Amino acid sequence: MFTEILLALVVGGVVYFLVQRSKRHQLKSEDGWWGEGTPMAGEEDLSIRPYTVQTDDEELEVRWGIMGLEGRALRELRLMQQSLVEPHAQCSTQDLYRRIDQTRPFPSLEDSQFNYGFNSHYLQKVVTYWRRDFDWRRQVEKLNKFPHYKTNIEGIDVHYVHVRPKNLPEGVTAVPLLMVHGWPGSFYEFYRMIPLLTQPSNPDDIVFEVVCPSIPGYGFSEAPHKKGFDSVCAARVFHKLMKRLGFQQFYAHGGDWGWIVTTNMAQLEPKIIKGLHLNFAPPSKPGLPVVLSIMLGRSFPKLFGFNEHDIQRIYPVVQNLVVESVKESGYLHIQATKPDTVGRALNDSPVGLAAYILEKFSTWTDHDFRNLDDGGLTRKFSLDDLLTNVMIYWTSGCIISSMRFYKENFSKGLDQPHSKMPVHVPTGFACFPNELMHTPKLWVQQKYRELKTFTPMARGGHFAAMEEPELMAQDIQNFTKMQEKMK
């Protein structure tokens, strides 16, 4: 009798597990208002306004109508108006240079490389380049080579880059693609990828129409004025953006925060997301298969589909999954608890801001770069590109609001509905070997039940779109081609 009862319980448990696994839950989210005060009466402003990234002096002259003044009085008036009228207005170049010139260097420990953070000796070289050789006006021209726009959604202005393909062959329809950045990146991460997607050299490739928004609180998107703006809210806002642009269905790509924002988009409206492409997908809620794979995967790798790279990145578990995570997650704890405190210091110091941001472009690109005096920064990126990303944060004054995104997401706990909810949208995953958190295929499949492609990439780390744009663009092409043929 006992054996029969036990067997019935086991069978019932398995059936219940399979039924629950097969259910397709849809994430729910209510409209919000993130503007100042209460929502204004009347119809919602649906207008789309062209936006141009401008150098500081030009923007200040247009904004305050003070053209014609000269010299020191002009600078002082600008700074006074900036501090009193608009806290996040762009600082003048003179103010930036003054702050850089007045930085107080502090020597690094001997033989410390990047193991204590950004090496002070190399930082001084970066700062010298920034002060003497970096041409912000030229980079602004580069930013403006693609069309920028703003539109108001849920009370805040949302900035985005929208690139339509030119000279489409007759009978060819562009495929809409939304690409979402993360921290401490920006829409600029995708700039080298965009031409590869909108103007592919291979006539057999899909031609994309690309939309790259700035997450509210990042770059040129307005920061939420109220508490609670998390990844689900961003996903809802971006759905509204794409609908406003006239897209009934589209593909979505994301890494870092872009991973969870686009994942939430697929959970909110799965029929609208034709395909989801990711290059970052840490297990948000590890289940039994993930736990068992960690415990037994080294001894029985084939049982869990582990390859040699998986074994190398996971084991020894304490060192690779615990110690390494602790080494690289100090920023996360600060930003998920008290972002405004350190954020205020970074908002005042361009050198501090550069060190804080660029250190991530070193270690998150390859953790072995910690052992190099220059952090390996220019092995994968140019200083012009790195400093352009820093300048987007500096000129928009968005570092504090960008860091608050961690607070808003983590303060609600790790047991949010979307963390437990599987994704039933066709998904492609690009597995870059030096990604900050390695995710084997089995782990990705636990969340993304319709994983169509899983590509071990030849090289690349966390900022893969910026580091390896050709590889990323090709993987998006391959995944989308598969989905379009299946359709």
Side-chain angles (χ1 to χ4, degrees), residues 70-333:
E70 298 290 338
R72 182 176 178 181
L74 170 60
R75 291 195 298 272
E76 290 178 353
L77 178 58
R78 285 172 173 162
L79 291 175
M80 179 182 69
Q81 289 175 314
Q82 177 181 313
S83 63
L84 295 177
V85 178
E86 191 166 349
H88 296 302
Q90 293 186 354
C91 297
S92 69
T93 304
Q94 292 88 347
D95 175 67
L96 172 65
Y97 289 164
R98 175 181 61 80
R99 291 171 187 258
I100 290 177
D101 291 341
Q102 292 180 353
T103 188
R104 298 190 301 169
F106 193 84
S108 294
L109 293 172
E110 295 178 4
D111 197 33
S112 62
Q113 291 83 39
F114 267 59
N115 286 288
Y116 282 70
F118 205 111
N119 183 279
S120 184
H121 302 300
Y122 185 65
L123 179 60
Q124 201 56 41
K125 294 181 180 179
V126 173
V127 169
T128 299
Y129 180 85
W130 193 5
R131 178 67 172 85
R132 297 179 181 176
D133 301 308
F134 179 73
D135 188 342
W136 175 231
R137 290 184 181 276
R138 183 179 65 185
Q139 294 305 110
V140 165
E141 291 177 2
K142 184 176 181 180
L143 291 176
N144 285 323
K145 74 176 182 179
F146 298 130
H148 295 248
Y149 303 89
K150 283 190 178 184
T151 190
N152 195 275
I153 302 175
E154 297 193 1
I156 52 178
D157 279 347
V158 177
H159 159 264
Y160 62 98
V161 173
H162 187 181
V163 184
R164 300 173 176 85
K166 299 177 180 178
N167 304 318
L168 266 178
E170 187 176 350
V172 175
T173 302
V175 174
L177 172 67
L178 176 81
M179 298 198 294
V180 184
H181 65 87
W183 186 93
S186 64
F187 65 90
Y188 186 63
E189 291 180 62
F190 301 117
Y191 258 49
R192 290 172 60 200
M193 266 181 65
I194 290 174
L196 302 176
L197 296 169
T198 59
Q199 304 171 48
S201 57
N202 186 343
D204 295 327
D205 277 350
I206 288 174
V207 180
F208 289 93
E209 180 173 349
V210 174
V211 178
C212 297
S214 295
I215 296 173
Y218 286 72
F220 305 121
S221 279
E222 185 178 354
H225 296 271
K226 293 174 173 59
K227 296 184 292 183
F229 189 92
D230 60 9
S231 62
V232 177
C233 298
R236 186 180 65 244
V237 165
F238 288 165
H239 264 303
K240 291 182 177 182
L241 169 65
M242 296 300 279
K243 289 175 183 176
R244 189 169 297 182
L245 295 177
F247 299 116
Q248 302 304 313
Q249 285 187 311
F250 55 90
Y251 288 83
H253 163 79
D256 195 89
W257 278 127
W259 142 68
I260 191 63
V261 172
T262 54
T263 293
N264 291 160
M265 293 180 75
Q267 293 168 323
L268 283 170
E269 301 194 57
K271 293 182 179 180
I272 289 180
I273 306 297
K274 296 179 70 176
L276 180 63
H277 186 273
L278 307 169
N279 61 281
F280 184 69
S284 53
K285 194 172 180 61
L288 182 61
V290 173
V291 174
L292 288 176
S293 71
I294 294 174
M295 294 172 60
L296 305 174
R298 194 169 198 173
S299 301
F300 306 98
K302 292 184 179 180
L303 182 63
F304 301 98
F306 284 178
N307 57 33
E308 186 176 341
H309 183 67
D310 294 328
I311 299 298
Q312 182 183 357
R313 287 298 308 271
I314 297 172
Y315 304 99
V317 171
V318 172
Q319 176 62 35
N320 286 0
L321 300 188
V322 179
V323 175
E324 281 297 321
S325 294
V326 170
K327 282 183 178 180
E328 292 302 323
S329 61
Y331 82 98
L332 187 151
H333 187 70

Side-chain angles (χ1 to χ4, degrees), residues 325-475:
S325 294
V326 170
K327 282 183 178 180
E328 292 302 323
S329 61
Y331 82 98
L332 187 151
H333 187 70
I334 291 173
Q335 295 176 193
T337 53
K338 302 291 182 65
D340 285 28
T341 305
V342 67
R344 184 59 188 264
L346 299 176
N347 196 52
D348 274 355
S349 170
V351 176
L353 180 69
Y356 197 73
I357 289 177
L358 296 186
E359 180 234 304
K360 305 308 180 190
F361 279 84
S362 166
T363 309
W364 293 2
T365 298
D366 189 330
H367 66 83
D368 287 338
F369 285 176
R370 287 184 298 225
N371 301 318
L372 300 176
D373 290 332
D374 63 357
L377 277 175
T378 54
R379 294 190 178 193
K380 297 289 187 173
F381 312 103
S382 71
L383 281 182
D384 281 344
D385 282 341
L386 292 172
L387 289 171
T388 297
N389 184 63
V390 172
M391 285 292 286
I392 290 172
Y393 278 82
W394 177 255
T395 58
S396 66
C398 75
I399 186 61
I400 296 176
S401 53
S402 74
M403 293 162 66
R404 285 177 184 162
F405 202 53
Y406 286 81
K407 172 79 170 178
E408 304 297 6
N409 281 287
F410 286 101
S411 64
K412 297 179 181 178
L414 302 178
D415 202 34
Q416 293 301 298
H418 67 81
S419 68
K420 299 175 286 186
M421 188 179 296
V423 176
H424 294 282
V425 165
T427 304
F429 188 80
C431 184
F432 287 87
N434 292 321
E435 178 55 82
L436 184 62
M437 296 181 68
H438 178 67
T439 314
K441 184 177 182 179
L442 173 70
W443 298 7
V444 178
Q445 287 174 317
Q446 299 309 297
K447 180 77 172 181
Y448 303 90
R449 301 291 171 78
E450 294 191 34
L451 184 66
K452 301 299 183 181
T453 62
F454 182 95
T455 313
M457 308 302 283
R459 58 191 177 274
H462 186 69
F463 302 99
M466 189 171 175
E467 179 190 352
E468 298 290 346
E470 292 85 4
L471 291 181
M472 184 76 86
Q474 189 58 55
D475 200 62

